[in-house]
Amino acid sequence: MTERYLVQALPEIAAFFLELRAHVDPSLQRLQPAKLGKPYPMGQCLEISLAVAQLLDHADVAGLALSEPARAGYAAFVAFRKAGGQFRRMWGDLRGEFFQNAFQLGTFYLDVSNDTVTPSKPKVELLPFDEARFVPIADFRHFARIATGYWQHAIYPNHLLPELAPYCPLIHVAANGQAIVAEGTDYMVAMAQAGRFEPSEDVLRDAPMPVALHERLAGALADGGWKVAQGPDQGRAMALRACREHRRKGWHVSQQKALDAITAVQHINRKLALAAARPPAGQQSQWEACNTMSAMSTIDKMQINGITYDLADLSPEAKQQLEMVRATDAKLADLKRDMAIIQTARNVYVAELVKLLPAQK
């Protein structure tokens, strides 16, 4: 089917997806002009891929203002799909360097966010799959190797939350100290389950995570209602035991357990982010005051609580704290954006579920 429907129309298909990118870019850029300090589209391959997929599934694409080549590409794409051709979103290791969201289109690799790591690259890449050097994540060590280089994260075994460790056996710590439980995504949790939690056991057998890190994260989660190990040595033993018990109970085939784990990790990571943004006890009043900081009108002034300050007059220590405030504001903006994306995805799933429900008599 690839030969019959796609090969002769590759330039037109590429033009079609390039124009879809042009259609989703303005709204995505308004929603999130920067991510982790980098301007759109850098780092936003997931957002772009989801937007294109949603456009294809839920919009009248034929009604878009497309060029003639793009319309020809759309016709080839529709004919291929109607004949049963495969088109699906995927995520994995691209060329051993970074994670990438892309699509499989027949025997072709299609990337509609090819410029999210190197902005000078073409926005859309379409090439035979065996030339793409795109491979699935094989296990958690493979994942950690890419994450260490691509995200610059320090990675430790999850000896903090033993009941969640079979599903998400890693703790990531970014350069700014922000920690997350990883990786609470459908793909990675499904990988853990498909391996009967043995891939998780493999990394959880590593040396216990540092005591200081464990204490800091345990303190941040102390009032959340989650079962937190009392120390990394205890957490290591409990996490390994949880893998064996979950396997014995057959939880590696339970979709509900997977969903529960993903939901819990999302809540925990939000809690960790808020804890990282909040200052130590006794400094909340100053922190609340800084929360009233207005947008900067110039690059050399700032305003807090209605008072304007020249940045040149600030001490080095004050400037350092200002950068920390800016960094936490950016992180909070990321969290709000993530919530918006998750809520949008949920609305789509609910809409699709409603279509599949039996008719009421």
Side-chain angles (χ1 to χ4, degrees):
M1 284 190 291
T2 297
E3 290 287 337
R4 180 176 179 182
Y5 293 101
L6 302 180
V7 170
Q8 301 304 317
L10 290 181
E12 291 80 10
I13 293 170
F16 167 60
F17 281 98
L18 185 60
E19 293 188 22
L20 291 188
R21 251 305 287 276
H23 185 80
V24 303
D25 273 342
S27 58
L28 289 178
Q29 188 166 12
R30 285 193 301 271
L31 178 65
Q32 186 172 219
K35 181 178 181 181
L36 299 178
K38 297 179 180 180
Y40 183 87
M42 294 186 68
Q44 300 196 43
C45 64
L46 173 60
E47 292 86 343
I48 292 170
S49 297
L50 287 174
V52 169
Q54 188 171 8
L55 184 63
L56 287 169
D57 288 342
H58 300 284
D60 179 15
V61 178
L64 299 178
L66 300 175
S67 67
E68 285 303 316
R71 286 196 173 279
Y74 176 56
F77 174 77
V78 170
F80 173 74
R81 295 296 307 282
K82 285 184 176 179
Q86 187 174 55
F87 176 73
R88 65 186 182 94
R89 192 170 64 83
M90 55 189 185
W91 171 85
D93 167 5
L94 184 61
R95 300 169 191 135
E97 298 177 3
F98 44 81
F99 301 115
Q100 186 69 3
N101 287 271
F103 295 92
Q104 178 186 353
L105 178 60
T107 61
F108 283 91
Y109 168 87
L110 170 65
D111 184 357
V112 298
S113 55
N114 190 49
D115 57 337
T116 55
V117 175
T118 305
S120 59
K121 286 185 176 181
K123 294 183 177 183
V124 172
E125 183 175 53
L126 179 62
L127 70 163
F129 206 95
D130 57 1
E131 295 180 16
R133 295 170 55 201
F134 181 90
V135 297
I137 300 299
D139 53 37
F140 287 103
R141 294 200 185 277
H142 182 185
F143 174 80
R145 184 171 65 252
I146 301 298
T148 300
Y150 181 37
W151 291 335
Q152 300 296 303
H153 284 178
I155 299 177
Y156 305 94
N158 180 6
H159 298 153
L160 178 72
L161 297 151
E163 290 301 314
L164 286 173
Y167 303 93
C168 298
L170 299 174
I171 300 285
H172 289 210
V173 181
N176 63 359
Q178 172 63 55
I180 61 170
V181 180
E183 171 74 10
T185 61
D186 292 341
Y187 180 98
M188 295 299 289
V189 170
M191 185 182 74
Q193 288 186 299
R196 298 169 56 87
F197 303 119
E198 290 177 3
S200 303
E201 280 186 279
D202 179 47
V203 293
L204 290 167
R205 290 192 188 98
D206 288 353
M209 66 189 304
V211 173
L213 175 63
H214 187 282
E215 290 178 349
R216 175 166 71 88
L217 300 183
L221 301 177
D223 60 348
W226 299 289
K227 187 175 183 179
V228 178
Q230 293 182 1
D233 289 306
Q234 183 197 67
R236 181 178 184 272
M238 292 175 66
L240 290 170
R241 184 166 62 249
C243 289
R244 297 191 295 270
E245 291 178 351
H246 285 27
R247 182 164 53 246
R248 179 179 58 81
K249 293 176 180 178
W251 288 358
H252 55 285
V253 296
S254 170
Q255 292 184 352
Q256 186 59 52
K257 290 294 183 182
L259 179 60
D260 291 345
I262 291 171
T263 302
V265 167
Q266 289 171 348
H267 287 298
I268 287 166
N269 285 340
R270 285 197 291 273
K271 180 81 170 179
L272 290 174
L274 291 173
R278 184 173 290 274
Q283 298 180 16
Q284 273 78 9
S285 60
Q286 293 94 330
W287 182 76
E288 295 297 340
C290 284
N291 255 0
T292 66
M293 183 186 300
S294 67
M296 304 299 171
S297 57
T298 69
I299 62 173
D300 58 352
K301 293 182 184 295
M302 70 174 183
Q303 189 176 82
I304 298 180
N305 293 343
I307 303 174
T308 300
Y309 299 86
D310 290 322
L311 298 189
D313 295 336
L314 299 183
S315 67
E317 292 78 10
K319 290 179 180 178
Q320 183 178 14
Q321 292 305 311
L322 174 60
E323 288 306 311
M324 292 302 295
V325 171
R326 286 171 170 167
T328 54
D329 283 348
K331 188 64 182 179
L332 289 170
D334 281 343
L335 290 169
K336 290 179 181 178
R337 184 267 310 162
D338 287 344
M339 286 298 295
I341 291 174
I342 292 168
Q343 186 62 56
T344 299
R346 184 183 187 280
N347 292 342
V348 171
Y349 295 145
V350 170
E352 291 300 310
L353 172 62
V354 169
K355 296 178 184 177
L356 298 172
L357 294 176
Q360 294 295 307
K361 296 181 180 179

